Each structure stands twice: as C-alpha cells, then as structure tokens.
Amino acid sequence: MTDKSPLPPDSPALRDESRLSGWAEGLGSPADRRAASELIGQSLAKGIPMTFQGARTGLRGAGVPNGGLIVGAARLDRVEGLRRGQWGFELLVQPGYRLADLRRDLATRRPNLAASQAEPEALKELLAEFRAEELFWPPDPSETSATMGGLASTNASGPNRSRFGRAADHLSGLRVILHDGQEYNLERGAFKFGPQGLPLPTGRLLEADPKALGLPPEADLLDLLAGGQGMYGFISGLWLKLAKAPAHLWGLVFFPDSEEKAVSLIEAILDDPPEALISLDFLDLPSLSVVSVLRQSAKKLREIPEPPTGAASAVSLELMADDESLIESASERIIQNCLDRGCDPDQSWALVGTEVEKSRLFAHAVPEGLGSLLDSVRAGGYPAVMTATDFTRPDLRFGQNLGECRRDLREMGLTAVTFGHALDNHLSVNFLPKNAEEAKRATELMGHWLERAKNAGGELFFGQGVGKLKKELFLAHESPERIASLRAAKKALDPNGLFNPGNLFD
Amino acid sequence: MTTPGGAILVWLETEGRGLGEASKRLALIASDLAKQGQLTVHGAIMAGAYGPPPLGAFAGLGLTGVLAFKGRHRPTVGERAAALLQAAKLLSPDILLVASDERGREMAPMVAARLETGLTADCVSLRLENGLMVQTRPAFGGDLIAEIITPIARPQMATVRVSGAQPVKANGEREPRPPWRGHGPGHEPGLADPTLPTLEVLLAPPVMGEPTVLKRTPLSADDDLEKASVVIACGLGLGGPEGVSKAKNLADKLGASLGATRAAVDRGWLPGHRQIGLSGRAVSPNLLITLGVSGSVQFMAGAGGAKDIIAVNADPRAPILALARVGLIIEMENLWPELEDRLGPL
Amino acid sequence: MTDAPERTRLGPPTAPSFPNSAADRERDFREAEGYRPRVAVAIKQVPPSLGGATDPLKGFVLRTGPGRLNPHDGPAIEMALRLKDRYGALVDLFSMGPVQAETALKEALSLGPDRAFHLTDPLLAGSDSLATARTLIWAMDLEGPYDIIVSGLMTSDGGTGQVGPAMAALMDFPFAGRVSEIVSLEDGALTVKQLYRDELLETRLNLPCLVTVHPDGFTPRLPTVRARLRPRLVNRLTASDLIAPNPDQAPAQAALFGERGSPTKILRTHKPKANDKVLARPTPPVAASVIIEAALKAKS
C-alpha cells in the first residue's frame, strides 16, 4: 500500500490543478478508516510529514506534497451512515466521496449504505423516508469531481454562495484524526470557543478568539477545521446536512454583444433581484474564447452549442423555487431588463431541471480551459502556474469593480480572463503569463488589488483558499493578528508540523 | 418453423479480390447455425463491374451456393438492398443474415420492410430453439439482454455483430451464454468443409432515383483496432493524459492497439474514434488489457468479443475484475515503474 | 422538384398499399403558391436513464423522473431547424409513444419547429420497428406531404436504427444515412455529406427523400428564454385518425398496428451475468510479468 521509493517527478500525485508540483517519498491510499488511522499513526510516530489529497482538483496547491508521505483519500469513498438531525436528513460520508457521487446518490435516492454500522431494520425505515424526499446539498460547487474532504478543507462554495453559504455551513459533524493519532467524532457545538479560547479534544486549549481567526463568535472547532486545508488534521468522515430541494430549477444564459451591456444587465438585476435568484455570474469575452478552445478536445462540451456569433460576454443565472410561476415571472422581468438595456433576449439559452447541467458545464469549462491553456504555455517552456486572484469589493457596484480592474490591466499592459459571481460582488481575474516577467507584473497587480479589497473590507481569497500558491500574498496582505492566531491554531493542533506542511505558512 | 432442407441466406461484402473479414465470420456463424437445423447456407454478393471474387475466396466457409450480382462499382445502400431482396425472392430462405456494420444496419431494414418480415438488429448470439431462430441482443443501453423470435413472418432476419459474436455450438447449446464472454467465431477459414459453393452470376436489379455520390473521400482509420490481436484500453484510472501517454508507449512496446472508455474520451484524453463500447467500437482481440477501466456494461458491450481479458484496477469493487479472466488489484503508480524496469522508459 | 415517374426501386410495392393521399395534387398546388420545403422529423421519448442524463465523471444514470428526448434525435431536429433557418422550411415533429411521452415533444417544440404530433393509442403499443415505420408513415401521409423526412440514427432504448431505412423502403424514397452536414437544398434536390467510418461522401438526393443523421453531425441548439416561456401545443393523433377513410381498407390496416403488426416478438429478457473470478493483489513485479507474458503469448 505504501511504496517507499520516491515518486517519479512526472507522477500525477505530485500535482493538482494549480500546476504547482512538489515531491514526495511515498503514496498511501488507505481503503478504510482503520487503515487510514494506522498509516497516519505510523507516520506521526516516525515524524514523517504528510500531505492529504482528495481528487487533486484544487486550484491553489493545497494538496501538492512538500516531501514526506502523500495520504490519498480517494479510496475512502463510501457512505457510512444516514440519520435525521435537527435540520433534516444527514449523510455520513468518507472524505474521498465525491460531489458527483453525492449528486448521483441524491438524484437516484439510492446511496450505497453497505458500509453503515447502523441497525439494518432502523436503517431500512429511515431509508424509506429518505427516498420519499427530494434533497440536495446546497453549496453545490462546480467542480463535481472534487472530494467532500477537499471541499470541506477549503470551505468551498459555488456560484450560489450568497444564498446558500459555504461547505462549513452545511456540515453537522466531522470525524478527524488529530496529531495524537486518535480519531475524534466532532458534532456541531461540541467544542465551542469560550472566553479562554477553544478547548480541543486532545485536551489542549487553543488560546485565540474567533474574530482574530476570521470566524463568527459562536464558531466551534468544526469551523476551524473546515477551511483548514488539511493543516490541523485528517478529515476521515463528514456529516453532510441535506436540505429539501425546491421543486424547480432553471438556468438562463444571456449573451450580450458588449461588456457594457452585460454590466448594465447585471446591475439592473442586482437593483431588484428576484426572490428565486440563487446565482448571477459574469463571463467576459476571453472566458468565452477559453471555452471555445476547450471544446476542441472535450467531447462533452461539444454537446452544448457555441455561443451566438457576436457574443462579447455571458450572463449566467439560476432561479430556484417551489412555485414555477415565481421563476417564470422572474424570467419575464429579466427579459424586460434585457430590452431596457439594449440586450437581445433571444440571444440566450434557457435550461430547465437536469438540463441545467449544461450551463454549469459551460461555466465550469472556463477554469478547466484555463488549466489546458496553462499546459500549453508550460509546453512552450515557461513553467507557468495558476496565476489568479479572487476578491470581493463590497464598497463598489459590479460595474465599478470591473471597470477599475480593466483600467489597471490596461495600465500594466496585461491581459486576463475575468469572470465573477455578481451576487457577491466577486471577481476572479486569471492571468496566463508567458514568462517570468509577466508573472511578476501580474503578481504585483494582484497584490495591489488585494490591498484595496482589504481596505474596503472585502474578502481576499474568495472561493479557492490560500494553499501554497497564495502564501506570499497571504502573508503580505493578511492582518498580523490573523496570521498570529492561525499560527497559534497550527501549533495547538499540529505541534510537530507534520500535517500538510507548506500550506498558508511554512 | 425451420424445415430441414431450408436455407440460410447471408449477405457478403468484397474486400479487394476476396471477402471481407466480417463476411467470412458471418458465413461461419451461419454455417454453425445451419448444422443445428439441417439447413444449407447461401451467399449473396454485389460483384462490381468486373465480376465476383474468384471461387476460391468462398472456400471453407460452409457455403452451398453464391449469387453474385453484377452491377455498379460501389453500389449505394439502396442498390445493395435491391440485390439482397432479389436473392431472397429467388431462394425463399428461412433465415437471412447481414453483418451488423454501418451499411448492413441500413440495408437490412430496407429488405425486411419490403419483405414485411421481422428484423432483429445487432445480435450477439443466434441459435435454433424449437425450430425457430432465437436472436439475442442487448437492449436498454446494454442493461438488459433480450431474446427475440420471428414466429410467423419469413425469412427470419437479423443483423449480426460479427466482431464479437459467439459461435453457436454444433451440439445445439440450449442455455443462453453471457454475451460478454464471446470467444470469437472459434473457427479459422479452412477448418470447415472445404468444398466450393456453386456460383451464379446475375445482373443486379436496377434501382431508379438512387442518390448520386458527388464526391468520395476515404478516411483512414489510423489504427486497426478491430484487427488487433492485443488491445490496451485506457480508463479513468489512468489519471490523465500522462497516464494515457504511458499506456500508449506500453501499447507500442507490446505491439498492441490502443482503445479507450467513453469516460476517457469525454475528458479529451484520447480521440473519439478510439472509444470502445456500445456507442463506440467493438473489438475482439486475443487479449484485452484494461488499465483503470471500471467495466461498465456499455464498455463491455464493445469489449466482450475479447478472447482473454486482463484487468488492472486499484478498486476491488470495479465490475471488470469479475468479468476478466485475470483481475489485478494494483495502483497504476505502482505498476508503471515495474513495467519500465522490464520494457524501458514509458 | 422533379416529377418522378413510377420508380422501380426495390421491386413493386406489396399489398396493402398506403392510403391514397392527395400528394401529387398538393404538390402542384404548392409549386404554384411559392414553395416552402416541408420537413418531418421522427423522434422518440426514451426512459430518463437513456436520455443522456449522465454524470460525466461516473456515468451514473437517472432512472426516475420524466422521459427525455432520445439523444440521437437532438441532431436530427437540429438538421431540420437549419433547413428552416436557411431555406424557410416548415418543420413538423412526429413522435409515437404512450400518453405521458409528451415531454420530449414539448421540449423539442421550444427549439423552433412549427408543429408537433403525438401518435398515441393503446393499439399502437408493442410496435416493433416495422410497425413503427408504418405508423409514422401513415401519420406523415395524413399531415404531409413532406419533401424531406429526417430521423435520428437509432434510439437508445431499442437501439436498432431500423425505423429510418424501413420508412425509406416503404415510401420508395431515396435514402442517405449518417448525414453530417447540409450542403444545399435547391432545384428539387438535397445535397448532404455522409460520414461513414471509412469514408466521407457528398451526395445529392432528389426530393422527396429520407435521411438519418450522424450523432456528431449537428450540435442541437438550446431554447431561448422567450421560447421557454411560450405555451407549447402538441397535436394528438390516435389510431382512428390514421386509419384510411376507405372502410374496406380499415381492418387490413388495423392489423398492421402495434403488437399485431410486429413480426418480431420478445421471447424473454434477463440481466447480463458476471462470472465469478479469482482476484489477485499482486506485487508490482508479478503484475508486470503477468501482463507482459500474456501479451507476448497473444501476439504469437
């Protein structure tokens, strides 16, 4: 199970989607929790650093190893339990269980509960009730091949974040293997921050206050672990809180023929957002080109038509409601918004129910295509990595935010692929540096934007986390209090520094 | 009922100056079927302007007679159908078989419609049961196996998947065998009865109003997947393009052809024409080596013709491990270094 | 559009012949009026698991929920709609299926066709491809005549691919399969490209004709928002609508519907079996040996 020889440099296990690559002495893929405990316990005893990996879909290098042993969660992909919590049904899954598996199991309502420890009779009854419901896991990030462990570790969110929140908001429990080699079952609220700090199941106390860590006052240990990027322990199980799925889901994509019209349409919708609106995304012209390029090689993308000729941008939104007439009237209002702002409402796609997969696939093709384009640059000789930044500007309207970025890009003589979740006033600006000089300028510009976002009270590493890629920027722009608190947390939970070394700080 | 002394008519296609591989296998399948019911096998073929292949090309296939229709070089599907219909009217066969390739699947329904008889498409297995031909084929995307009969209308027609088709034993096997364990025809030409069939040359019936081909561009399949003796199939378990590239080098070193699952093709790791499966190509090599392939029913629908399967998959629950003769539960990362040790860099 | 004389194609038509529609008379009339080519598309609704509702990663299939359009029919509808965009064609959809199989037709209507016909009747149940071909032809004869009939390559549940060619044979129409591109439609002829595995053809067919569409040929469009919001009306046709007005022909025709009219019958069905195998967790050297030795043996 564990190969002691060093992994060859081109082994896929040494890389993730960020295109960063590392090195490791071995790879272990435990097939069950006991094996995982054993492996981690042995490594802890021998002082071997570990890097925890899910599906290696991360964009910031959090799963890229920095020596030591890779502990891959891919084979821990079972459903271990089903229960009824105070908020509704909850599913206990292993960390390697993928979002795609979850969506399949919720759609078919037939999770494979063979690995469950529960009483078969009681489980049968519960399963019958479960199957009578239409459920979903609200965060719904777009990378469906990501593992639940990975999504929890980065506290991931999807385009619907402003409506539904992030991964941590939808976890009611975690199983985690901590630095003492023990596996702990942590329920929500079991270990809460108190006036002295956060008591830990290992018996220690983390002296820190939640605010300094960027957490709400009623936060608990789960909130620290989620988004912890594997630095505090190995997540070996997750209780997912499921919610009742609204009966209707529509995905609309409009293709304005200029960026100004797109911004205008977005701001019109934001001025009076329909109740059913759960996400509103902007894709610029370079984004559309990226998708077009990826289409050449991805057969699945070719099932979706090309955007209409003349499209200079895309505005993609989703509407969700129990009452379809709410969605229909929202659509009519948005058509009116189009007409008022000079957009042609017939340059659009309207997808209903499971067809919404198509607009999601389309939007998701942008980051995926960026990866392919990065690979082309790398093939040309320069070892480019994901050079991108995600930030929010709560102080500006969407158009102003975008306008500022455009101006800065022009001034620095840089081009970028830009998209954003307009409901969060978020922008993701992605560079494709062809050489070290361009990369340097891009990094400088990103630092500049992060500084402004920080001053405006915005979020700096929205959606993708810090990992290894953003370490420098993180250390440069994050407040000293935050960094100090995080170091304290790391010291308390990983005193020997053996978990995911190199993430966030050395 | 299939009465003794009745006939099976098979449609044959030329390749060069001989018969195509698919046609030879179809003839042998018909010949096996004929033995179960004391039937004779006749062939029908379009001869092109210069006439049919030499008689020797039809030897050892169990054919009693061949009707060759002299007509245009490169006939349309409609013209082929007209010729086959003519042959059917002349012979009044009990059974009419056409190979299930692209053109076969177009011409057979035309003939069946004209004869107002039943046609079962893409059969993986044929046998006689109580005097009727039982036609076995996958349905519902391969999730179900259906056995179909044409009780009254004649001839009983079927298009037959020749590359993965199972022979029907001369001892009249009654039990349906799992179709994914095909062993190929089990015959080589020359082992069956070597007597030559009689050959009758006729003029192909004229068909008016047929489409006109204005331009014809041959497309080279840059691989001979269907003819390969060893095939390596790439699945998601290879992890990505790097894994696929190693698999390709492995195939080169072992002299194998490269195929892929639908999942790998959908992710752009390999081009679409390498896809093996229900909506891809059907292969029947001596050995199929699958790397990181889970073995969905859809994949097995194209791979079931392999005589021997070695499956490599790190997940012990992968369905293919149960279907393969040898299942190797091992991570690809751990296997590559060993293979490189033996074969050189991949 | 050339006026074809009585064509001897696959032999003279066998009895019973089709209802004598006013095809020729109407054709002359339309030529005088200012001609818009008429296209019929035969589509089918399939169970959701076969409608392409799959996850790209694991390929899971949805087994519950409403039925979906047969995946190969999307490109067929798209080809017809391109004929509409380029040549002003009028496009009618035809689908045969149980009463609840209207969803796919409604969805398809929001893409732009002019009319949709749902052939539904308990008498039509159990139709094999021959019976289906006949039934579709009777419906098209009722609502037609059509210049071009378009069909998907095959259905994902039956998967026979027989209905299109059977219709062409029964109607005596020139046939081109696996059409991947429209080259032109003019002077009574349709020119297309056909994509077979070993060759690409450019072919001209006189109208009226029938084509099947290569699944990769045309990427289906998506409905616009306004089209989604528009009400979509499907016309229903039952067996009695299809039966000829001539009462003498009615019983003979009725015998050709549904199961009665299907020469093939399903004897039995079963799930595919997997064999029991011995699995091994070999060490890497052993695994490599097994593979290499087996390959060498297989090549010899």
Side-chain angles (χ1 to χ4, degrees), chain B residues 77-78 81-82 85 102-103 105-106 109-110 113-114 116-121 127 129 134 137 139-151 153 176 178 180-181 206-219 226 229-230 236 254-255 267 281 286-287 289 310 312 316 321-330 334-335 338-339 342-343, chain C residues 5 7-16 47 50 56-57 63 128-130 134 154 156-162 165-166 168-170 172 174-175 177-178 191 195-205 212 263-285 287-295 298-299:
Chain B
V77 167
L85 184 71
E102 292 174 341
R103 288 176 183 78
R105 287 195 296 266
E106 288 174 355
M110 292 182 171
R114 275 291 163 183
E116 294 185 45
T117 186
L119 169 65
T120 304
R127 69 178 193 282
E129 187 177 288
V134 177
R137 68 181 302 269
F140 281 92
D143 284 347
L144 204 64
I145 310 300
E147 294 185 0
I148 298 173
I149 51 172
T150 309
W180 319 129
R181 295 292 295 156
V207 184
M208 289 170 59
E210 274 297 276
T212 313
V213 175
L214 304 171
K215 234 186 317 202
R216 197 182 292 266
T217 316
L219 299 172
E226 281 83 4
S229 48
V230 182
L236 279 191
L254 295 179
R267 298 186 126 211
R281 298 164 77 170
N286 292 335
L287 173 65
I289 302 170
I310 295 180
V312 181
L321 293 171
L323 300 168
R325 177 181 66 85
V326 178
L328 303 173
I329 304 175
I330 184 171
N334 295 334
L335 185 57
E338 277 306 324
L339 288 168
R342 306 269 306 252
L343 300 170
Chain C
R7 284 195 295 266
T8 311
R9 305 204 62 236
L10 299 178
T14 53
L50 300 162
L57 181 66
R63 294 197 180 281
D128 71 356
S129 31
L130 183 60
R134 285 185 181 128
M154 67 172 80
S156 51
D157 53 3
T160 62
Q162 289 167 194
L170 291 169
D172 250 359
F175 168 84
R178 308 180 71 92
T191 306
L195 182 58
Y196 286 88
R197 205 173 49 237
D198 55 357
E199 59 182 2
L200 176 69
L201 305 173
E202 191 173 311
T203 307
R204 189 179 61 227
L205 304 94
T212 60
T264 59
K265 307 271 176 247
I266 298 183
L267 185 61
R268 57 180 85 97
T269 58
H270 58 88
K271 299 221 126 230
K273 294 202 244 327
N275 293 327
D276 291 334
K277 281 294 153 209
V278 175
L279 306 176
R281 289 176 187 268
T283 57
S289 293
V290 166
I291 289 172
I292 295 174
E293 263 129 42
K299 294 281 299 173

Side-chain angles (χ1 to χ4, degrees), chain A residues 193-210:
Chain A
F193 278 88
Q196 262 76 45
L198 179 67
L200 299 172
T202 50
R204 293 175 170 227
L205 177 74
L206 165 58
E207 289 176 20
D209 85 79

Side-chain angles (χ1 to χ4, degrees), chain B residues 240-329:
Chain B
E242 292 109 344
V244 170
S245 154
K246 283 194 204 276
K248 179 173 190 314
N249 292 330
L250 178 66
D252 286 344
K253 298 212 172 181
L254 295 179
S257 278
L258 203 64
T261 61
R262 187 190 170 133
V265 162
D266 276 352
R267 298 186 126 211
W269 297 349
L270 285 130
H273 65 259
R274 297 219 172 250
Q275 184 185 323
I276 296 171
L278 190 67
S279 51
R281 298 164 77 170
V283 296
S284 53
N286 292 335
L287 173 65
L288 171 66
I289 302 170
T290 68
L291 303 177
V293 171
S294 66
S296 69
V297 181
Q298 284 78 359
F299 173 78
M300 294 312 296
K307 295 187 183 62
D308 190 12
I309 304 179
I310 295 180
V312 181
N313 197 307
D315 181 357
R317 294 158 307 151
I320 199 166
L321 293 171
L323 300 168
R325 177 181 66 85
V326 178
L328 303 173
I329 304 175

Side-chain angles (χ1 to χ4, degrees), chain C:
Chain C
M1 196 167 48
T2 54
D3 226 5
E6 164 76 55
R7 284 195 295 266
T8 311
R9 305 204 62 236
L10 299 178
T14 53
S17 55
F18 295 102
N20 194 11
S21 65
D24 294 318
R25 280 174 281 144
E26 212 184 308
R27 202 167 288 152
D28 294 336
F29 173 75
R30 282 182 9 226
E31 275 190 333
E33 277 284 288
Y35 166 60
R36 289 184 70 180
R38 294 197 62 194
V39 179
V41 189
I43 67 174
K44 188 176 178 189
Q45 180 161 313
V46 295
S49 61
L50 300 162
T54 54
D55 177 89
L57 181 66
K58 286 243 173 172
F60 83 86
V61 290
L62 285 169
R63 294 197 180 281
T64 55
R68 305 187 64 167
L69 183 67
N70 170 38
H72 286 131
D73 292 345
I77 297 172
E78 180 59 28
M79 178 179 168
L81 291 174
R82 291 203 196 165
L83 288 169
K84 183 174 169 139
D85 293 337
R86 279 167 71 171
Y87 303 103
L90 293 164
V91 176
D92 289 341
L93 304 177
F94 290 85
S95 182
M96 193 175 99
V99 170
Q100 58 270 28
E102 233 179 40
T103 330
L105 266 176
K106 285 203 160 138
E107 295 294 307
L109 261 182
S110 58
L111 296 170
D114 296 280
R115 297 185 303 172
F117 294 94
H118 186 196
L119 285 63
T120 183
D121 196 306
L123 284 174
L124 300 176
S127 298
D128 71 356
S129 31
L130 183 60
T132 305
R134 285 185 181 128
T135 312
L136 285 168
I137 289 172
W138 280 319
M140 291 179 187
D141 233 43
L142 189 68
E143 296 297 332
Y146 294 99
D147 298 300
I148 302 171
I149 300 176
V150 185
S151 153
L153 197 59
M154 67 172 80
T155 60
S156 51
D157 53 3
T160 62
Q162 289 167 194
V163 174
M167 287 175 71
L170 291 169
M171 295 178 98
D172 250 359
F173 278 14
F175 168 84
R178 308 180 71 92
V179 169
S180 61
E181 208 182 300
I182 302 166
V183 176
S184 70
L185 174 62
E186 58 196 0
D187 297 330
L190 172 68
T191 306
V192 294
K193 291 210 173 138
Q194 296 175 263
L195 182 58
Y196 286 88
R197 205 173 49 237
D198 55 357
E199 59 182 2
L200 176 69
L201 305 173
E202 191 173 311
T203 307
R204 189 179 61 227
L205 304 94
N206 290 334
L207 302 184
C209 65
L210 187 145
V211 298
T212 60
V213 175
H214 192 289
D216 298 334
F218 301 88
T219 303
R221 66 191 60 183
L222 295 169
T224 65
V225 183
R226 273 207 277 225
R228 264 291 170 201
L229 294 169
R230 232 179 271 138
R232 292 157 287 166
L233 211 59
V234 172
N235 302 294
R236 236 176 232 191
L237 293 174
T238 61
S240 49
D241 293 320
L242 302 177
I243 285 181
N246 184 343
D248 290 339
Q249 281 188 336
Q253 202 177 344
L256 297 173
F257 283 140
E259 200 177 332
R260 284 180 68 195
S262 302
T264 59
K265 307 271 176 247
I266 298 183
L267 185 61
R268 57 180 85 97
T269 58
H270 58 88
K271 299 221 126 230
K273 294 202 244 327
N275 293 327
D276 291 334
K277 281 294 153 209
V278 175
L279 306 176
R281 289 176 187 268
T283 57
V286 168
S289 293
V290 166
I291 289 172
I292 295 174
E293 263 129 42
L296 289 175
K297 190 155 155 250
K299 294 281 299 173
S300 57

Side-chain angles (χ1 to χ4, degrees), chain A residues 336-357:
Chain A
Q336 193 54 50
N337 289 122
C338 278
L339 294 168
D340 294 340
R341 306 294 166 129
C343 291
D344 182 358
D346 289 331
Q347 300 303 312
S348 62
W349 298 341
L351 302 146
V352 173
T354 47
E355 282 181 355
V356 175
E357 294 308 314

